[in-house]
Amino acid sequence: MDHHRSLGTIYVFIIISIISMNNILCTTSCPTFYNTTCPKALKTIRNTIRNAVSRERRMAALLIRLHFHDCFVQGCDASILLNDRTPNERTTLSNSGVGGYEVIDAAKAAVEEICPGVVSCADILAVAARDASVAVGGPSWKLRLGRRDSTTANPSEADRDLPRGDQDLQSLIRNFDDKGLNEREMVALSGSHTIGQARCVTFRDRLYSNTTSIDAGFGSTRRRNCPPNRGDGDTNLAPLDLVTPNSFDNNYFRNLVRRRGLLTSDQVLFDGGSSDSIVLEYVNNPSKFESDFAAAMVKMGNIELLTGNNGEIRTVCSAAN
């Protein structure tokens, strides 16, 4: 009898130890971070994103870009969302044209209703990007959760570190390398331009620079809605992928091979340089592109995370507590 009780005590101790160890491993960041504190959080965010994308397909691209622009400035800390101070990251030149803020606000409000003060805005941004990809036929990925929010923004870093549409290949490689992302990951992440649109001001120079790296018919078509003079039609939009602009696929890379990249920073990925082979690989193997994109999004989403006692959990994403 005593022997059985001892065994029972040992089994209980082992089970408690396993549960405790799982909790210890998940105090910083892991996919199950909110399983006990806010079990409906991910479903709630997913429903908000699905509804937003169903209303406006372009929103998927905006949300992925919003997460990207957040992570490249002092890490994935939701600093881009802060709007309660001047200057802020939102109003920098590098973030002009960035959108989707209202969708993140809606997701945050919905989560706050079911579990106030638990889910960070930084995590909502990461989850929203993943769910936006899925909503337009793109890949999903397993996220590490448990990010905390910054209390400050960094507008000078935004203008210094965020990639630009006029960059050449080597500067792009250095830009991404500074954030711990290699050339393949840079090309894969650029593939997010398979969805979304860009403003005339970001690709005008490519259209009128007399370069041989642009398909003549493509250039002629794009010039119709993008006049040559700065200030004239700057906000006119054109799809980054002229074939399937609302579906996540590998047509972006097919366009590059045909010299139909919209931005200079798109076309330099296939212009006789070191990334040509990666582009061709993604043209011929779309599943490889999707798997590489998902892996790169996970890696990007882990840049300089605030966890534990660092940062805060904002109750409103646009303002520090």
Side-chain angles (χ1 to χ4, degrees), residues 176-247:
F176 279 72
D177 182 66
D178 287 343
K179 300 301 177 181
L181 297 163
N182 61 35
E183 184 175 8
R184 175 174 287 272
E185 290 159 343
M186 181 268 289
V187 176
L189 289 171
S190 298
S192 65
H193 285 181
T194 187
I195 54 175
Q197 302 177 72
R199 295 167 300 142
C200 166
V201 68
T202 64
F203 58 84
R204 175 183 283 118
D205 287 347
R206 171 157 162 73
L207 298 182
Y208 295 98
S209 62
N210 296 319
T211 177
T212 59
S213 67
I214 188 168
D215 174 76
F218 173 76
S220 175
T221 299
R222 292 280 74 91
R223 283 191 287 270
R224 292 173 194 166
N225 197 41
C226 186
N229 297 322
R230 185 168 292 274
D232 188 5
D234 283 0
T235 59
N236 292 351
L237 297 173
L240 286 156
D241 170 7
L242 78 164
V243 182
T244 52
N246 293 316
S247 298

Side-chain angles (χ1 to χ4, degrees), residues 65 69 73 80 82-83 87-98 101 153-162 199:
R65 186 184 184 202
H69 277 234
V73 181
I80 194 173
L82 288 171
N83 198 32
N88 56 55
E89 291 173 28
R90 289 198 194 194
T91 55
T92 61
L93 181 62
S94 296
N95 281 320
S96 59
V98 174
Y101 299 107
N154 196 329
S156 60
E157 187 175 323
D159 277 334
R160 185 186 73 230
D161 289 2
L162 284 166
R199 295 167 300 142

Side-chain angles (χ1 to χ4, degrees), residues 130-143:
R130 191 262 314 272
D131 292 347
S133 169
V134 174
V136 289
S140 182
W141 50 89
K142 186 172 289 188
L143 284 165

